[in-house]
Amino acid sequence: MRRPLIAGNWKMYNNVSETLVFFDNFIKLVENLEGVEVAIFPPFTSLWEAAKKTAGTKIKIGAQNVHWEEKGAFTGEISPNMLKEIPCEYVIIGHSERRQYFAESDETVNKKVRAVLKHGIKPVICVGENLKEREENLTLKVVLPQVRKALADVELLSGEEIVFAYEPIWAIGTGKVATPEDAQEVIKNIRKEIETLYNKNIAENVRILYGGSVKPDNIKALMQERDIDGVLVGGASVDPQSFYKICAYKEQGVE
């Protein structure tokens, strides 16, 4: 049984002092929460304080990006070793904003996935289509090649080493949300693709999240779908009360 993962991507929000205030409130809210895994992805400048603040709690910390090299003359970049030292358990790779604004490609996504796995860091690999591709019924023709290229030459022992996040680009920060049925259909096909690349057991162990304007009022419907194993939350994760309501979806009647 895959354990649901509720992940909060803060993007370029919350400086160090705001991060500390967030956790002062959020840790108390989730301390008795059962049955889900909670991970938060602060900006690089807040990672160290976030990790210290959440030490000994159930909350996992992740980074929003990483470079594939161990060290070197790569001004402004952060290596897997540096993330491991913090420590970060997760790192987001290939987010649509990284692809759109910072020239992230399927090839660099694959390099980063292979690099972080060597250090025992779990990649949250983002895939998704834009609105034009959606309207032209090209979703699977866009998303499944992204899955294949991300996993090129990647050896998986159980499938638990990685996480995928299906993020329809047209739903990120727009208020638009893929229907639970549409999200389920794409995520089901991602799982089938992983089975083709590896085997059924590995495919069944990989957690696949949905991301795109997730809020407290739509989390329950999303989590009722068989293949949706959690969510990657953007704006709603910056506020502790809002994010807690998403994390506590089971207490709202969803099993």
Side-chain angles (χ1 to χ4, degrees):
M1 196 72 177
R2 299 181 297 269
R3 189 181 186 200
L5 173 60
I6 310 298
N9 174 21
W10 284 0
K11 307 188 181 187
M12 202 169 69
Y13 295 100
N14 281 355
N15 60 26
V16 172
S17 60
E18 290 166 335
T19 295
L20 295 175
V21 170
F22 174 93
F23 284 115
D24 281 340
N25 290 284
F26 187 69
I27 289 171
K28 291 180 288 187
L29 292 172
V30 298
E31 61 184 351
N32 295 317
L33 198 60
E34 300 290 343
V36 299
E37 183 177 351
V38 177
I40 294 179
F41 297 75
F44 282 127
T45 53
S46 295
L47 276 177
W48 189 264
E49 291 298 331
K52 288 197 297 182
K53 197 76 173 174
T54 56
T57 74
K58 300 175 183 177
I59 302 166
K60 307 295 177 59
I61 296 298
Q64 297 177 20
N65 190 27
V66 67
H67 195 274
W68 57 86
E69 294 288 353
E70 299 283 330
K71 60 178 68 174
F74 302 104
T75 301
E77 293 294 334
I78 302 292
S79 74
N81 264 329
M82 294 172 179
L83 297 183
K84 190 70 176 178
E85 184 183 31
I86 286 174
C88 287
E89 184 161 335
Y90 291 96
V91 60
I92 296 172
I93 296 177
H95 191 282
S96 64
E97 290 159 359
R98 297 296 313 173
R99 295 177 188 256
Q100 181 179 356
Y101 302 128
F102 304 104
E104 190 100 336
S105 67
D106 292 330
E107 289 71 27
T108 59
V109 166
N110 176 250
K111 287 181 179 181
K112 292 178 179 186
V113 169
R114 289 188 282 124
V116 300
L117 285 173
K118 290 178 184 176
H119 292 273
I121 301 172
K122 296 177 183 177
V124 179
I125 307 164
C126 298
V127 296
E129 83 284 11
N130 62 36
L131 183 58
K132 183 173 184 292
E133 292 162 342
R134 179 77 173 189
E135 291 174 341
E136 294 178 0
N137 295 315
L138 297 174
T139 295
L140 294 182
K141 291 183 179 180
V142 171
V143 171
L144 298 186
Q146 289 176 341
V147 173
R148 288 195 296 272
K149 291 173 183 177
L151 293 176
D153 299 317
V154 173
E155 181 182 355
L156 297 178
L157 299 177
S158 70
E160 296 176 0
E161 308 98 314
I162 65 170
V163 176
F164 268 95
Y166 167 55
E167 293 194 307
I169 299 169
W170 48 271
I172 298 173
T174 64
K176 297 179 181 178
V177 185
T179 67
E181 295 78 14
D182 285 345
Q184 161 64 20
E185 182 64 20
V186 177
I187 288 173
K188 179 181 73 175
N189 278 280
I190 292 173
R191 199 175 304 283
K192 286 182 179 178
E193 187 68 23
I194 297 170
E195 180 178 347
T196 300
L197 294 171
Y198 298 95
N199 58 55
K200 186 174 180 62
N201 185 59
I202 283 178
E204 286 297 320
N205 284 335
V206 174
R207 289 182 292 181
I208 308 176
L209 316 182
Y210 169 78
S213 297
V214 177
K215 295 179 174 61
D217 60 3
N218 59 35
I219 178 67
K220 291 197 295 183
L222 289 165
M223 292 304 296
Q224 286 174 326
E225 299 295 334
R226 180 196 182 281
D227 286 287
I228 299 179
D229 302 316
V231 287
L232 181 58
V233 185
S237 71
V238 177
D239 175 73
Q241 288 288 343
S242 175
F243 192 47
Y244 168 70
K245 289 177 183 177
I246 293 172
C247 294
Y249 72 92
K250 288 191 174 186
E251 297 181 6
Q252 301 175 43
V254 175
E255 298 300 330

